[in-house]
Amino acid sequence: MKKSIFLFFAAILCAMTANAAKERVYFVNTPGWTKVNVHAWDGNAAGTNWPGTTATKDTWQWNGKDVYYLEAEAGAYNKCIFNNGSSQQSVDLTWTANSVYAKEAGKWTPVEIAKATTNGTKVYFVNAEKWTTVKVY
């Protein structure tokens, strides 16, 4: 009986873990690095080991530049640094779910990008004018 109860709770825990929410932080490769890593941590210094995890190249670009991301469990991190695995890196940035960062005019800044998927077609929009609502027809 004890073994059955243990297996039942183990199965529930596995199901909960499999359905955990994920979030991403994005990096626009404006510096043109050949390798992109993301070092991420929470306020208590728990996180990836330096230089971080190799970022995944996404399927879209921003202003002709490749976009990379790191996906993690929701709430796992609140800070990140993008780097090329050696001498170049960003400043400490705030990890916010689905935030996009780029280096523009020598500064690391968040970039507003709207992304929508309809019937399998992805549409990307750079919200340079800071519109509050964007509709695609």
Side-chain angles (χ1 to χ4, degrees), residues 36-48:
V36 177
N37 293 331
V38 184
H39 174 56
W41 67 97
D42 67 13
N44 298 316
T48 63

Side-chain angles (χ1 to χ4, degrees), residues 111-128:
V111 177
E112 287 195 39
I113 297 177
K115 184 165 116 175
T117 303
T118 305
N119 298 328
T121 302
K122 289 183 182 179
V123 177
Y124 299 95
F125 171 74
V126 177
N127 193 4

Side-chain angles (χ1 to χ4, degrees), residues 1-14:
M1 178 70 174
K2 287 183 182 179
K3 186 175 182 180
S4 296
I5 291 172
F6 173 76
L7 291 175
F8 173 74
F9 283 112
I12 289 174
L13 181 60
C14 287

Side-chain angles (χ1 to χ4, degrees), residues 50-65:
W50 185 259
T53 303
T54 301
T56 303
K57 184 177 174 183
D58 212 331
T59 58
W60 58 284
Q61 292 186 330
W62 181 77
N63 285 351
K65 301 293 183 182

